[in-house]
Amino acid sequence: VADLIERGVIITDLFISVSPLPIPSVRVTVSGVPPFILNALLENELRRFGKFARGFRTVSLGCKDPKLRHVQSLRR
């Protein structure tokens, strides 16, 4: 995980940074991932750094307006 955080991930010539969660864990937050990068591509790239236990969960942008609740952030 430390190597993954230090080096980040490159998918289709796009650098994506990875940061650890505030509490010690093997979970990481991947940020700056555009919606056109499929979860499967990202998962395959992250598997190079070790075991991959679960899929991705998108992070909501946090909009309070019901019309904008569907908008997701670029974090997974």
Side-chain angles (χ1 to χ4, degrees):
V1 172
D3 188 39
L4 174 62
I5 292 167
E6 183 179 321
R7 291 178 36 192
V9 176
I10 297 177
I11 298 177
T12 62
D13 298 328
L14 181 68
F15 176 77
I16 298 171
S17 64
V18 178
S19 56
L21 294 175
I23 56 174
S25 171
V26 293
R27 253 189 229 181
V28 294
T29 299
V30 183
S31 60
V33 183
F36 59 83
I37 301 288
L38 300 175
N39 285 346
L41 287 173
L42 189 56
E43 184 176 333
N44 286 339
E45 192 65 27
L46 293 175
R47 281 190 192 277
R48 296 184 317 136
F49 295 94
K51 185 178 175 184
F52 194 86
R54 291 188 183 182
F56 291 99
R57 187 173 56 179
T58 56
V59 179
S60 173
L61 195 56
C63 294
K64 302 292 184 205
D65 187 340
K67 294 179 183 175
L68 298 174
R69 278 203 160 141
H70 68 282
V71 178
Q72 300 291 312
S73 72
L74 298 180
R75 300 173 75 193
R76 300 182 202 181

